[in-house]
Amino acid sequence: MHQKIKVGIVGGTGYTGVELLRLLALHPEVVLHAITSRQEADIPVAQIFPNLRRQVDLIFSSPDSTALTECDIVFFATPHGVAMSQARTLLEAGVKIIDLAADFRLQDTAVFEQWYKIPHTCPDILQESTYGLVEINREKISHSRVIGNPGCYPTTVILGLAPVLEKGLIELNSIIADCKSGVSGAGRKAEVGTLFSETSDNIKAYGVAGHRHHPEIVAQLSQLANSPVSLLFVPHLVPMIRGMLSTLYVKIKPEAVDIDFQRLYEERYANEPFIDVMPAGSLPETRSVRASNQLRIAVHRPQGGDTLVIVVVQDNLVKGAAGQAIQNMNVMFGLPESTGLQQIAVLP
């Protein structure tokens, strides 16, 4: 009998943590070994998350007393700064790491420190880490020990633009990303701005002067384009729990006006299990991906002009976080990529 992957989760009491548990509990190649939480230590997981009753029998343990070094892989569903404080110990014990926060997303430590206001304590580990967007870095991920799981907004923007950037078909100085996220993207914490009576029946832009996902997106887009990219990125909070919709506006280069962009996208993503390029003329909705690891893309060219409009939807907690992390784990351990991730979106 072959060995199952022994999984540890650090910080399992947030929305990303419970989503990881929901998906990993049914993953055929995984055994959940430990889940830590300083605040909830000694409380059964199913007591905090009743949806996991009779599925997950783990008890939250204190981070100090948990032998995470016994795991094959540890997911960090924690605030920024936690993963890098434990990374060295885990790697020395042969444990692989997937961080769902930002510790291993930005290769430039100065940019990281500017946006996250904490020093980067392991630049050497950062250097060997891989940005965990499987559809772009699959080969590299398969050989990696440390993965920086992408942010939710960056996932939609990068995958939405990859086909045209890889082929150099758009102007790099006028990219606009207008993005909207459900409230779960803000995390599971008590905050006035995310109260029901503040977010319901309300929509607002935020982070217009600067958002910490901006440098992450720009770094990845510039790498795909092999050239510096200028991006205007405006996130919005919309009154729903989960879901994300990003509308991307780009200017087609004069020499690329005759390209069939619909076909280009269909061909680029033809073999990707989690990217669905919609038929020409259609528009994806967030509810079509709810609770699934699917990301749907529609490509439009209004009035046949030189502007390309790309609409991308995903579930911010699945493809935008926990599902993507498991997709990375599957690649790291040589499993079929969609193992444990075949959930169909929930309707209505």
Side-chain angles (χ1 to χ4, degrees), residues 6 23 30 34 41 62 79 103 114 116 128 137 148 212 305 320 339:
K6 232 184 211 186
L23 297 167
V30 158
S62 160
D103 297 13
Q114 176 196 335
Y116 292 94
E128 73 152 283
N137 292 330
R212 46 176 58 162
T339 310

Side-chain angles (χ1 to χ4, degrees), residues 32-341:
L32 287 166
H33 182 66
I35 181 157
T36 73
S37 167
R38 207 171 289 282
Q39 264 179 313
E40 319 291 354
D42 301 326
I43 296 174
V45 167
Q47 193 173 315
I48 307 279
F49 298 121
N51 63 323
L52 298 175
R53 276 176 61 82
R54 302 175 71 181
Q55 299 292 339
V56 176
D57 52 11
L58 283 181
I59 290 170
F60 286 111
S61 53
S62 160
D64 314 314
S65 66
T66 309
L68 290 170
T69 49
E70 294 169 3
C71 297
D72 297 311
I73 187 164
V74 169
F75 292 90
F76 284 89
T78 47
H80 312 294
V82 178
M84 59 184 168
S85 70
Q86 299 181 35
R88 206 172 301 283
T89 312
L90 290 171
L91 290 174
E92 281 166 5
V95 182
K96 294 178 178 178
I97 295 168
I98 296 180
D99 180 31
L100 286 90
D103 297 13
F104 300 107
R105 285 179 190 163
L106 288 161
Q107 284 298 330
D108 187 328
T109 51
V111 174
F112 173 85
E113 288 167 8
Q114 176 196 335
W115 284 92
Y116 292 94
K117 310 287 183 251
I118 49 174
H120 204 292
T121 54
C122 48
D124 53 328
I125 296 173
L126 174 65
Q127 240 173 349
E128 73 152 283
S129 72
T130 300
Y131 189 72
L133 204 50
V134 177
E135 292 79 8
I136 307 286
N137 292 330
R138 186 175 277 110
E139 182 54 32
K140 207 174 163 201
I141 291 164
S142 67
H143 304 298
S144 293
R145 303 191 296 166
V146 184
I147 299 290
N149 207 58
C152 47
Y153 284 121
T155 298
T156 59
V157 179
I158 298 161
L159 291 175
L161 295 175
V164 285
L165 287 175
E166 289 166 346
K167 296 233 185 297
L169 305 175
I170 59 166
E171 304 291 357
L172 301 180
N173 60 356
S174 59
I175 299 171
I176 297 171
D178 181 314
C179 306
K180 297 165 180 70
S181 173
V183 185
S184 61
R188 189 174 185 248
K189 53 187 183 290
E191 222 175 38
V192 172
T194 56
L195 291 172
F196 180 76
S197 34
E198 304 284 331
T199 55
S200 180
D201 196 25
N202 187 32
I203 178 170
K204 62 180 179 185
Y206 64 99
V208 179
H211 185 283
R212 46 176 58 162
H213 280 167
H214 188 273
E216 177 187 339
I217 299 171
V218 168
Q220 296 300 323
L221 297 183
S222 302
Q223 214 172 323
L224 284 170
N226 235 343
S227 186
V229 161
S230 163
L231 169 76
L232 191 58
F233 165 58
V234 182
H236 301 73
L237 190 64
V238 293
M240 59 187 184
I241 295 168
R242 46 162 99 210
M244 177 169 283
L245 185 144
S246 294
T247 308
L248 315 172
Y249 303 90
V250 295
K251 207 169 178 50
I252 301 164
K253 282 184 177 173
E255 62 270 30
V257 291
D258 295 330
I259 296 276
D260 180 343
F261 287 97
Q262 175 71 26
R263 187 170 159 198
L264 172 82
Y265 273 75
E266 286 173 2
E267 286 176 359
R268 169 63 176 86
Y269 291 130
N271 299 315
E272 293 296 344
F274 297 116
I275 301 190
D276 174 25
V277 177
M278 307 279 290
S282 51
L283 289 165
E285 304 174 28
T286 55
R287 68 183 198 143
S288 75
V289 292
R290 184 182 169 94
S292 81
N293 200 51
Q294 286 291 318
L295 176 141
R296 301 195 199 279
I297 301 181
V299 186
H300 288 261
R301 198 165 163 181
Q303 290 87 47
D306 63 355
T307 300
L308 197 64
V309 179
I310 302 136
V311 184
V312 187
V313 297
Q314 71 175 7
D315 186 318
N316 57 296
L317 294 177
V318 190
K319 183 60 175 158
Q324 178 132 276
I326 293 167
Q327 196 180 342
N328 274 298
M329 177 194 75
N330 287 341
V331 173
M332 292 166 91
F333 286 88
L335 296 171
E337 206 170 294
S338 50
T339 310
L341 289 172

